[in-house]
């Protein structure tokens, strides 16, 4: 006999056994037997009303949205590559590669009993849709994918756990040789030597007011409630390290002082290596910020310092590009609709979601750079083609201007 049927059998028979008339002597509020019988009947009635006591039916939609979105048949495909990218924030090929990486995780092992999980690719699509759009909830996803709200929540939870399991494979500090290679690329592009990484702080807006003792600390200078995160990235917009979870009122420099790269710089920076940043950070032998100018006192920077700030700003804009790529792909970061309470798990849940988005961000950056290295002469060929096209346009422009001048000169003579 199934476990649910056994529970139902016990509950119904207990209810029948207790369905008897008590003597008038026992109908007393101070009688322990009377109170016990009333309590047991109340519990049995609550169990009978529970939906978990009876066999449940799984309601399924008549249309499989996942198969329709994944279809690439020219005759029946209604979602092209652009629409697919807008909905899931990745291409179909990138989705296949993410599925191949996460498919072997233990969280996707089918259960021994009960309902089976959705395919791994479908669960990843649910998570991508959740973090790829602003203000998405389980209810809205239920209407989008025609599946239950609980299934949407479980799919996101499993994918987040699987991505956090491979976090160290995609978020790691560059080694000595890799830092030298990154520093050479930055020096060739911006003429700044010995700088392998750069950092900047940003705010992640909270869509729901925190309900905790320190809720006022989450009130930042830009948004009503937010989280402060400090991000360290390289020249390829890859996030190398970050620190999240601080309230929105926390200064960027305070977050930087609590990071491992600041507490133990000898383990992360070689001699003469440094990290570039803006004026919000304090200078040190491994941290070089821009020069500050005191506006209130009318003090102007020396021309050499102004020139240094201009050169540094051209390289530091990569930090803004990194934030734009990260937040632009995962719009959930721009309005986090999760509530922070006194329970520590509420904040940890948000941090796990943030970790999962950074893992996928670095994953896509790695694939993009790998695809570039597969065709080393393609960029040079495209540059040469672009130069030829510009020369042809310039030639046509000069020729047209020459003939116009010649015609005007002829008319003047006549």
């Amino acid at each position: 006999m199934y476990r649910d049927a056994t529970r139902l059998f016990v509950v119904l028979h207990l209810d029948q056994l207790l369905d008897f008339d008590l003597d008038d002597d026992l109908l007393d509020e101070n009688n322990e037997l009377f109170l016990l019988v009333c309590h047991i009947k109340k519990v049995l009635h609550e169990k009978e009303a529970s939906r978990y006591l009876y066999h449940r039916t799984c309601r399924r939609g008549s249309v499989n949205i996942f198969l329709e979105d994944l279809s690439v048949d020219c005759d029946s495909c209604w979602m092209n590559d652009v629409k697919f990218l807008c909905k899931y924030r990745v291409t179909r090929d990138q989705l296949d590669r993410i599925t191949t990486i996460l498919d072997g995780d233990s969280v996707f092992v089918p259960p021994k009993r009960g309902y089976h999980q959705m395919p791994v690719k479908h669960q990843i699509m649910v998570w991508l849709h959740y973090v790829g759009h602003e203000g998405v909830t389980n209810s809205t996803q239920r209407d989008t994918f025609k599946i239950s709200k609980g299934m949407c929540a479980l799919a996101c939870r499993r994918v987040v756990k699987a991505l956090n399991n491979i976090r160290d494979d995609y978020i790691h500090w560059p080694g000595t040789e890799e830092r030298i290679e990154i520093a050479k690329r930055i020096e060739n592009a911006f003429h700044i030597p010995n700088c392998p990484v750069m950092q900047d702080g940003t705010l992640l807006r909270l869509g729901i007011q925190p309900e905790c003792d320190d809720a006022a600390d989450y009130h930042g200078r830009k948004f009503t409630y937010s989280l402060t995160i400090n991000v360290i990235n390289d020249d390829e917009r890859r996030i190398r390290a970050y620190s999240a979870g601080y309230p929105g009122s926390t200064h960027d420099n305070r977050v930087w002082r609590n990071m491992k790269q600041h507490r133990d710089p000898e383990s992360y920076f070689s001699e003469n290596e440094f990290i570039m940043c803006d004026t919000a950070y304090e200078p040190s032998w491994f941290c070089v910020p821009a020069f500050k100018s005191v506006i209130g006192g009318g003090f102007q920077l020396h021309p050499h310092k102004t020139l240094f700030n201009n050169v540094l700003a051209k390289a530091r804009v990569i930090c803004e590009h990194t934030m734009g790529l990260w937040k632009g792909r995962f719009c959930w970061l721009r309005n986090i609709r999760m509530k922070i309470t006194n329970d520590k798990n509420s904040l940890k849940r948000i941090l796990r979601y943030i970790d999962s988005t950074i893992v996928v961000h670095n994953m896509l950056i790695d694939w993009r750079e790998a695809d570039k290295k597969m065709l080393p002469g393609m960029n040079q060929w495209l540059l040469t083609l672009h130069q030829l096209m510009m020369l042809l346009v310039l030639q046509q422009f000069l020729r047209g201007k020459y003939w116009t001048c010649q015609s005007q000169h002829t008319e003047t003579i006549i």
Side-chain angles (χ1 to χ4, degrees):
M1 184 179 295
Y2 294 103
R3 184 174 62 175
D4 294 341
T6 305
R7 290 176 178 174
L8 179 61
F9 177 81
V10 173
V11 169
L12 293 179
H13 278 69
L14 283 177
D15 192 16
Q16 292 178 2
L17 291 175
L18 294 176
D19 189 13
F20 59 88
D21 296 332
L22 296 175
D23 297 335
D24 295 338
D25 298 338
L26 298 177
L27 296 177
D28 187 6
E29 296 180 356
N30 299 324
N31 193 318
E32 296 182 357
L33 179 60
F34 173 75
L35 295 177
L36 178 61
V37 172
C38 293
H39 177 71
I40 294 177
K41 284 189 174 184
K42 178 182 178 183
V43 173
L44 290 176
H45 291 164
E46 292 177 355
K47 296 300 181 182
E48 290 179 4
S50 176
R51 65 186 180 95
Y52 297 103
L53 189 62
Y54 303 92
H55 182 70
R56 290 169 289 168
T57 58
C58 183
R59 296 177 296 175
R60 300 183 184 275
S62 59
V63 180
N64 194 323
I65 304 299
F66 303 101
L67 296 181
E68 283 194 352
D69 292 348
L70 292 172
S71 176
V72 293
D73 189 3
C74 298
D75 297 333
S76 60
C77 177
W78 73 282
M79 178 172 286
N80 55 21
D81 295 338
V82 177
K83 295 296 183 181
F84 188 90
L85 182 63
C86 293
K87 184 175 182 179
Y88 297 105
R89 321 308 293 175
V90 295
T91 62
R92 288 184 173 90
D93 295 336
Q94 292 171 345
L95 177 61
D96 293 337
R97 299 172 75 171
I98 296 175
T99 305
T100 304
I101 294 174
L102 300 182
D103 196 12
D105 195 273
S106 59
V107 73
F108 298 113
V109 175
K112 295 182 180 180
R113 65 177 185 176
Y115 295 106
H116 293 283
Q117 297 183 15
M118 292 188 300
V120 178
K121 181 179 291 187
H122 296 178
Q123 298 188 53
I124 296 175
M125 293 169 67
V126 173
W127 175 81
L128 287 172
H129 181 267
Y130 181 82
V131 298
H133 297 80
E134 186 176 341
V136 175
T137 61
N138 295 330
S139 299
T140 58
Q141 284 197 310
R142 177 188 182 278
D143 300 333
T144 302
F145 295 107
K146 306 302 179 182
I147 58 178
S148 64
K149 296 187 293 183
M151 192 174 294
C152 295
L154 285 175
C156 293
R157 195 183 309 166
R158 294 191 190 107
V159 175
V160 168
K161 186 177 180 179
L163 289 172
N164 278 265
N165 291 337
I166 60 173
R167 178 184 182 277
D168 296 337
D169 297 336
Y170 293 93
I171 306 176
H172 52 82
W173 190 257
T176 304
E177 297 181 357
E178 189 177 2
R179 291 200 303 270
I180 295 175
E181 181 181 353
I182 297 173
K184 288 182 179 179
R185 293 200 302 262
I186 294 179
E187 184 177 4
N188 294 333
F190 305 103
H191 307 287
I192 300 177
N194 303 325
C195 179
V197 290
M198 55 202 73
Q199 69 175 344
D200 195 10
T202 186
L203 294 175
L204 304 180
R205 181 180 179 180
L206 296 175
I208 302 177
Q209 179 179 351
E211 294 183 359
C212 51
D213 297 337
D214 56 346
D217 296 337
Y218 291 91
H219 187 82
R221 60 185 179 88
K222 290 184 178 180
F223 305 112
T224 306
Y225 297 99
S226 59
L227 293 174
T228 301
I229 177 172
N230 192 67
V231 177
I232 301 177
N233 61 276
D234 58 14
D235 62 319
E236 294 177 347
R237 286 75 177 171
R238 185 182 293 104
I239 298 177
R240 293 293 186 171
Y242 64 96
S243 181
Y246 289 86
S249 60
T250 308
H251 196 271
D252 294 343
N253 190 55
R254 180 183 177 184
V255 182
W256 162 239
R257 289 200 307 264
N258 288 277
M259 294 184 67
K260 295 183 294 184
Q261 287 75 14
H262 185 275
R263 292 184 174 182
D264 186 17
E266 290 81 5
S267 302
Y268 298 93
F269 298 96
S270 301
E271 187 178 1
N272 296 329
E273 287 184 350
F274 64 91
I275 179 173
M276 72 172 72
C277 51
D278 55 19
T279 57
Y281 301 87
E282 58 182 0
S284 60
W285 68 267
F286 57 90
C287 181
V288 178
F291 288 102
K292 293 183 179 180
S293 59
V294 183
I295 301 177
F299 178 78
Q300 294 182 355
L301 288 175
H302 190 273
H304 293 172
K305 295 182 179 180
T306 303
L307 178 61
F308 175 82
N309 286 354
N310 293 336
V311 174
L312 201 68
K314 294 179 180 179
R316 285 194 305 103
V317 74
I318 297 178
C319 295
E320 306 298 334
H321 295 168
T322 304
M323 303 296 181
L325 288 174
W326 179 39
K327 292 184 178 181
R329 185 182 300 274
F330 304 107
C331 301
W332 171 84
L333 297 167
R334 295 185 290 186
N335 189 13
I336 301 176
R337 299 183 61 83
M338 292 183 179
K339 185 183 296 185
I340 298 178
T341 62
N342 290 324
D343 187 6
K344 295 182 180 180
N345 293 324
S346 62
L347 180 58
K348 290 181 179 179
R349 179 192 177 195
I350 297 177
L351 297 180
R352 285 193 291 267
Y353 271 78
I354 295 175
D355 291 344
S356 62
T357 58
I358 295 179
V359 169
V360 176
H361 170 81
N362 286 353
M363 196 181 293
L364 299 177
I365 294 294
D366 293 342
W367 295 342
R368 184 189 66 182
E369 298 302 326
D371 294 339
K372 288 182 179 179
K373 294 178 181 179
M374 291 178 62
L375 298 174
M378 181 62 70
N379 294 333
Q380 186 65 28
W381 181 80
L382 291 175
L383 180 61
T384 305
L385 180 62
H386 179 72
Q387 292 175 348
L388 290 175
M389 293 178 63
M390 293 300 296
L391 289 175
L392 290 175
V393 172
L394 181 61
Q395 183 180 5
Q396 294 294 331
F397 172 76
L398 294 176
R399 182 179 296 178
K401 186 176 181 179
Y402 172 76
W403 285 113
T404 303
C405 295
Q406 285 293 102
S407 61
Q408 292 178 356
H409 179 68
T410 305
E411 292 176 359
T412 303
I413 297 176
I414 295 174

